[in-house]
Each structure stands twice: as C-alpha cells, then as structure tokens.
Amino acid sequence: MLAGEEARIRQAFKNMRTIAESEGAGLSDCVRIVAYVTDMAALRPLVNKVQEEIWSGTPYPPRTMVEVSKLNQDDIFEVEGTFYAPLKD
C-alpha cells in the first residue's frame, strides 16, 4: 500500500505543478502550500520525500500540513498551492 500512497501523493503534486505551469508559473513561484492528510504519522514522511524530489533543490515554500478524518472520494492526500504567476497580456 505504501507504494500506492507515495504514487498518489506524487500525482497530486504533479497536478498542482501542471496547473501552475498552465498559467505561466513554476515551482519556484509557489509562495504557500497547504497539505491535507488522513494519517499524519504514516503520510508526513512520504509527503516530505516527494516534495523534496519534486522541488529538487529549489527553496521550499512555507507549508501547512493538517490531519483530517476524511477527504473527498476517500482519498489520503490533498494539496493546494498559492503561486505568483506573471501577468498575462
């Protein structure tokens, strides 16, 4: 199950990056992250690992992680990011 959990966390971060890139922003433009997990003890190390790999040397944005009892569609992880995106003409 651990591999599946890590893959789900990785996909959520990739989805967030894709959305930011669609607006002209990159990971270095992220100014805040809020992560929701259903099991802090089990998932926090995986979130840390995946975030470290995805940001690969770029400074991490401030992050808040909250343990919740349930997420939409019985998911284990949800992430939201606030990005500074350049103004479009």
Side-chain angles (χ1 to χ4, degrees):
M1 180 80 169
L2 202 60
E5 291 173 344
E6 184 175 330
R8 175 63 195 112
I9 292 165
R10 187 174 309 282
Q11 187 61 52
F13 274 115
K14 285 181 180 180
N15 292 349
M16 184 181 70
R17 180 177 59 199
T18 298
I19 292 167
E21 288 172 350
S22 76
E23 295 301 317
L27 291 178
S28 62
D29 299 309
C30 187
V31 296
R32 182 170 186 263
I33 289 177
V34 179
Y36 303 92
V37 295
T38 55
D39 183 341
M40 185 73 75
L43 298 175
R44 185 172 189 263
L46 293 176
V47 172
N48 289 343
K49 175 185 176 194
V50 171
Q51 186 174 356
E52 181 180 326
E53 290 171 9
I54 289 177
W55 258 261
S56 64
T58 327
Y60 297 162
R63 181 185 77 190
T64 300
M65 188 179 296
V66 180
E67 182 177 86
V68 297
S69 61
K70 193 167 181 109
L71 288 168
N72 188 38
Q73 297 180 335
D74 292 324
D75 211 341
I76 59 157
F77 177 74
E78 190 170 304
V79 65
E80 60 183 62
T82 303
F83 287 78
Y84 176 80
L87 203 55
K88 291 185 176 181
D89 292 332

